[in-house]
Amino acid sequence: MPRTDTRAAERSVVIIGAGYAGVMAANRLRSSLTNEEAEQIRILVINPLGSFVERIRLHQVAAGTTRTASIPLSDVLHSDVRLLEGITVLIDPGSQVITVETAVGRLTLHYDFLVYTVGSLASNSVPGVSTYAHTIADAGGALRAQAAIKNARPGMRIIMVGGGYTSIEAASEIAEQHPDAVITLLCGGELAESMTPRARASVRKSLERLNIIVRSGVRVMSVTQQGMVTDSGELIIGDVCIWAASFAVPKLAKDSGLATDSSGRLKVDACLRAWNHPNIIGAGDAAVMPRTAGGHLRMGCAAALPMGSSAARTVLAQLRGVEPEPASIGYALQCLSLGRLDSFIQVVGPDDSPRKLWARGRTGAWMKEAICRMTVRALQEERIRPGAYKAPKGPRIPPRMDISAPAGP
């Protein structure tokens, strides 16, 4: 695309996605610019909607405990960052342009640096999920699930699919709000497989107290109007089916010819730069770092927030013509809510491995709520104070390990 004289004096940073990683990247980058840099650098965020979604609260929306998990982006995004509501459908890394579908038509936009933070979405690879089940990976899905169970009659059968944190939190919240419903939690493997046996047993007891039926080792092969069909051929009948078994990522990077792993995540190096295209920086659920630097990372805001801040640091370094530093991202806690009055908080090492300390019950619930509030506050504080948000450093990388090696397939 030809560039005018005005554009030649400016540099554009386009951020695709306004989730935890995208908003953090935008705010950290803009607040880090000097006054002179701010005159020459334009930051644009592209997002389907004009709202920021607290995904860590979507299970509360599904249960009806919280009316909405959406916040106007103007409440969290730096005022100097432009917002364009639309869906990016293609990236042309050779020409450094993107194609965006908006309410007024298709636009083609130039970028000098592109930050890829498109996030994740519910996987619907199992037949019938998109037709007969409700997902809680986005605001719309959570509201539809809420409407389906809002007027739950005594004995209403609710089936929750998934043995991870999202399904456990949703099942607990729904059971607490609808004690007369019969809730069955189907786990393809073991319940909360990433937890220690002691923590898993504690969580299971909490679910039992809420009268949630937990069935492990049940693989769902399809969803029908009547319920779930398992790999053994059993039909588990349900009035409402909620799917929280797995996540997928948008196909934008793959469709644009960028290097991706087998799930479609953008492959980035330890500085979060895309392979063969260092002016494309990836962060959040839809980016994958080399195993030596980010093999311990899991999808979620605990990784998305620090990845977003690291993405901003990488862009800023390249804008200033210096080599960026590798991202170092670690963990401190695993947080699992079990309704409004119970939670399990596990202290972990930087590599997400469990430590001996943990908290649960009302103390855990208080800690979990404080952490949820902190995530939004961190984004807001970054608008005026770069570096206000601080995250644990990642695990120590052994000497001679190649942190720039490609991510796995």
Side-chain angles (χ1 to χ4, degrees), residues 49-68:
L49 301 171
S51 57
F52 170 78
V53 178
E54 289 187 85
R55 292 186 66 176
I56 54 178
R57 294 194 186 275
L58 288 177
H59 65 283
Q60 297 174 224
V61 175
T65 354
T66 300
R67 185 182 62 83
T68 180

Side-chain angles (χ1 to χ4, degrees), residues 60-377:
Q60 297 174 224
V61 175
T65 354
T66 300
R67 185 182 62 83
T68 180
S70 298
I71 302 170
L73 269 169
S74 57
D75 287 356
V76 293
L77 196 61
H78 195 291
S79 58
D80 287 347
V81 174
R82 290 176 51 218
L83 172 65
L84 173 63
E85 292 187 32
I87 299 174
T88 304
V89 295
L90 190 67
I91 301 168
D92 183 347
S95 300
Q96 295 184 196
V97 297
I98 59 173
T99 304
V100 185
E101 291 283 4
T102 72
V104 296
R106 178 168 286 199
L107 303 177
T108 301
L109 305 174
H110 171 270
Y111 66 85
D112 291 295
F113 291 91
L114 183 69
V115 183
Y116 187 83
T117 54
V118 299
S120 60
L121 41 84
S123 173
N124 59 0
S125 57
V126 172
V129 168
S130 57
T131 305
Y132 300 112
H134 302 282
T135 60
I136 50 175
D138 57 74
L143 286 172
R144 287 188 290 272
Q146 180 191 98
I149 65 177
K150 184 176 182 180
N151 299 313
R153 64 181 185 277
M156 185 180 193
R157 297 162 297 188
I158 300 175
I159 302 176
M160 176 74 60
V161 181
Y165 282 25
T166 301
S167 55
I168 293 171
E169 290 189 327
S172 301
E173 199 86 19
I174 293 169
E176 192 175 77
Q177 296 301 311
H178 302 277
D180 293 329
V182 177
I183 301 175
T184 301
L185 179 58
L186 304 179
C187 313
E190 181 55 79
L191 176 75
E193 288 182 324
S194 63
M195 287 185 159
T196 64
R198 181 187 65 172
R200 194 180 304 125
S202 177
V203 170
R204 186 177 283 271
K205 286 182 180 179
S206 292
L207 296 178
E208 289 173 355
R209 282 195 291 271
L210 290 168
N211 296 318
I212 296 171
I213 302 166
V214 178
R215 294 185 57 181
S216 301
V218 177
R219 183 178 174 83
V220 176
M221 304 305 292
S222 65
V223 185
T224 70
Q225 191 171 10
Q226 290 74 39
M228 309 287 185
V229 179
T230 71
D231 54 355
S232 67
E234 178 187 5
L235 172 62
I236 303 176
I237 297 175
D239 300 301
V240 177
C241 299
I242 299 178
W243 191 268
S246 58
F247 291 96
V249 298
K251 297 179 180 180
L252 176 60
K254 184 177 181 180
D255 289 347
S256 300
L258 296 168
T260 61
D261 68 0
S262 58
S263 65
R265 294 182 296 172
L266 178 70
K267 286 185 177 183
V268 298
D269 66 10
C271 298
L272 305 182
R273 297 171 296 193
W275 288 98
N276 302 320
H277 301 286
N279 65 334
I280 298 178
I281 295 88
D285 290 354
V288 56
M289 296 175 67
R291 288 193 184 97
T292 48
H296 61 291
L297 298 179
R298 48 183 157 84
M299 287 186 174
C301 71
L305 286 170
M307 287 183 79
S309 64
S310 294
R313 188 174 66 237
T314 291
V315 173
L316 188 64
Q318 294 189 101
L319 284 167
R320 292 173 175 171
V322 300
E323 182 65 18
E325 297 180 2
S328 180
I329 300 168
Y331 293 102
L333 300 171
Q334 290 180 4
C335 305
L336 176 66
S337 68
L338 298 163
R340 293 297 82 207
L341 302 176
D342 194 6
S343 183
F344 191 94
I345 308 294
Q346 173 72 63
V347 177
V348 298
D351 63 351
D352 208 25
S353 59
R355 298 285 177 86
K356 292 182 179 180
L357 294 176
W358 55 277
R360 63 154 305 155
R362 289 180 180 270
T363 299
W366 177 86
M367 292 176 65
K368 174 70 188 299
E369 178 59 26
I371 291 168
C372 289
R373 293 184 181 184
M374 179 275 294
T375 60
V376 174
R377 188 170 63 251

